[in-house]
Amino acid sequence: MRIADLENKSSAVEGFGYKQLLFEPIVGGGVFTAASVPLIFYLGPVPVLILAAILTLFWGVMGVFYFGWK
């Protein structure tokens, strides 16, 4: 972030920090990763794929509405 915005004129660093608060514990921290195998076993691969796609779209839309499309 610092290489692309040397003078810290954009809000990219702040936005990245907020993203990390939710993204890392769930995806990077392994909550969804650990739950994926049981979810696929009980629900099947297609419903889990649809769930993951819905979550991805939801957070993408939330990010665009909150931070704007830049």
Side-chain angles (χ1 to χ4, degrees):
M1 292 288 178
R2 299 287 181 210
I3 293 172
D5 187 15
L6 294 175
E7 297 175 9
N8 201 20
K9 291 183 179 180
S10 72
S11 62
V13 173
E14 181 180 334
F16 185 77
Y18 285 129
K19 177 200 67 91
Q20 293 301 97
L21 291 174
L22 180 69
F23 181 79
E24 284 302 322
I26 293 175
V27 178
V31 173
F32 189 77
T33 305
S36 64
V37 173
L39 284 173
I40 291 171
F41 179 77
Y42 287 112
L43 301 176
V46 174
V48 175
L49 175 65
I50 293 169
L51 174 65
I54 289 170
L55 288 172
T56 301
L57 287 172
F58 173 75
W59 288 115
V61 169
M62 290 298 293
V64 168
F65 281 127
Y66 185 75
F67 295 108
W69 189 270
K70 295 179 183 179

